Amino acid sequence: MILDGFFSYLVFGPNGTALEHMIGQENVDTLMESVNALYKRYMVQVINSSIFRKPVNNSQPQDLPIFMGTATAAIPRLTVDFTSKLVLQIMLATMVVLEGLSLTQIKLRGLLPRNPCSIASTMGFLAGSKLCSKDFPLGHAEHMDERRLKETLAQYNFGMGWWRDTDSTLTQRTEEAEDLSRWRFGIDVGQPDRSGLLSKTRKEGKTAATRNA
């Protein structure tokens, strides 16, 4: 059997495949794999040969023609309409001015000391009152029905305002005892010592100013 150069190298070359392993219908897959593997190695050598590889001439780019021209590139930018910007600035300036005026006109001392909407704040208005005292005749209120509880509470008057601290340690009233820290704002039984939301000191100042006028 005479083999050409390709198949001779395929059979007798490095990593060659025996001829009997490639003959016959049952060895067609082995033949195809061997031929493809050798063809890949062969084409690598061909592409690496001088036919495809040429030296790069450094002067070659200088020989190319040079054309002078002007290139224009469009760069998008975000712009704000002048009218919309002016309206927005006027609105913001108006808000700042009105907020400053409101801060100067609102009597902050006339507000509640705390927000009454939360459970903790609501209990803060009752802290220190007779309702939370053991001496108040409303024991075992948790066991009363709604009708009995209403009848019991209907016997008392309740008020909201400034209550003087009735601590026994303050029986001897001094000038220091008249300080606002000796007063409590909240809900208690009876009529409050001072009504309204302003502090005692603020009210006395207004009263003195009215008398002097």
Side-chain angles (χ1 to χ4, degrees):
M1 181 179 293
I2 300 176
L3 302 176
D4 59 4
F6 182 83
F7 279 95
S8 296
Y9 190 85
L10 180 66
V11 175
F12 303 108
N15 300 322
T17 303
L19 185 61
E20 58 271 14
H21 293 162
M22 297 185 292
I23 299 176
Q25 187 68 29
E26 66 278 2
N27 295 324
V28 173
D29 294 337
T30 304
L31 176 63
M32 293 176 60
E33 292 178 1
S34 300
V35 172
N36 288 332
L38 179 59
Y39 184 76
K40 291 177 181 178
R41 295 196 298 269
Y42 173 74
M43 289 305 300
V44 170
Q45 298 300 325
V46 172
I47 295 174
N48 194 38
S49 64
S50 59
I51 299 176
F52 292 91
R53 297 187 54 153
K54 294 182 179 181
V56 178
N57 188 359
N58 295 330
S59 62
Q60 184 177 0
Q62 300 178 0
D63 298 336
L64 296 177
I66 299 176
F67 299 93
M68 302 299 295
T70 303
T72 303
I75 302 177
R77 281 191 311 176
L78 180 64
T79 59
V80 181
D81 183 68
F82 176 77
T83 304
S84 302
K85 181 185 69 172
L86 181 62
V87 171
L88 181 59
Q89 290 176 342
I90 293 174
M91 291 176 60
L92 294 176
T94 304
M95 292 171 59
V96 172
V97 173
L98 293 178
E99 184 177 359
L101 291 176
S102 63
L103 292 177
T104 58
Q105 298 298 322
I106 293 177
K107 299 178 180 179
L108 298 177
R109 292 189 179 182
L111 301 178
L112 288 175
R114 62 179 69 90
N115 184 5
C117 298
S118 65
I119 297 177
S121 182
T122 302
M123 295 306 299
F125 286 115
L126 298 175
S129 65
K130 296 179 182 178
L131 288 170
C132 300
S133 175
K134 296 181 180 179
D135 300 331
F136 188 70
L138 194 63
H140 306 288
E142 65 275 11
H143 301 295
M144 296 182 183
D145 54 16
E146 186 177 357
R147 182 184 60 82
R148 185 179 176 185
L149 184 60
K150 287 183 178 180
E151 293 177 353
T152 304
L153 294 177
Q155 304 175 13
Y156 303 93
N157 294 325
F158 301 94
M160 185 175 187
W162 292 94
W163 305 85
R164 188 184 297 274
D165 194 343
T166 57
D167 195 340
S168 59
T169 58
L170 299 178
T171 53
Q172 295 182 353
R173 295 292 175 176
T174 61
E175 195 172 314
E176 181 183 356
E178 294 296 330
D179 188 74
L180 181 61
S181 60
R182 306 304 181 184
W183 292 76
R184 178 182 60 84
F185 184 86
I187 302 173
D188 209 333
V189 181
Q191 293 294 329
D193 297 317
R194 293 187 179 275
S195 302
L197 304 178
L198 296 178
S199 65
K200 168 180 173 293
T201 307
R202 179 78 174 272
K203 281 190 173 184
E204 288 184 349
K206 286 187 175 181
T207 304
T210 304
R211 290 177 179 176
N212 293 333

